[in-house]
Amino acid sequence: MTTLNRPGAPDGHVCGIDAAMEVIGGKWKVLILWALHERPHRRFGELRRLLPGVTEKVLASHLREMEADGIVHRTSYDEVPPRVEYSLTANGAALNAALEPLAAWGRERRTAQRLQG
């Protein structure tokens, strides 16, 4: 995925968060990362079932973008019927580890909200 350069930044990014959001931006990408972290090799249909509400078009598009960004690895097997599996690259695993504190914050927030209401 390519972001247009913004004024004042040679690479088009204002800060590290901006650069990270370019890779994980969108409703489904962090959930795809989570699904691939839970089990290292998943097929397209498995990912689709794990993400209710995602369309095939959006899932395929996000997977292509994540592969281009070096976050997801796509393995195609020469079989009949064709089989394709997706897994995290080392960069994808590192990104998931970086997102863990955010996930912990979200879990704590959900717990606090349940206790309040």
Side-chain angles (χ1 to χ4, degrees), residues 23-71:
V23 176
I24 62 169
K27 181 176 180 178
W28 302 103
K29 287 185 179 179
V30 291
L31 297 176
I32 294 168
L33 283 168
W34 164 80
L36 292 173
H37 173 74
E38 291 289 306
R39 197 168 93 214
H41 302 280
R42 295 214 187 248
R43 296 177 73 176
F44 185 89
E46 291 177 276
L47 289 169
R48 180 120 192 267
R49 282 188 297 278
L50 287 169
L51 306 171
V54 70
T55 65
E56 284 188 29
K57 180 180 177 181
V58 169
L59 180 57
S61 172
H62 280 348
L63 286 167
R64 276 193 302 275
E65 290 171 6
M66 294 169 79
E67 184 180 9
D69 287 332
I71 303 303

Side-chain angles (χ1 to χ4, degrees), residues 81-92:
R83 179 170 58 113
V84 175
E85 290 183 347
Y86 296 91
S87 59
L88 292 178
T89 63
N91 276 334

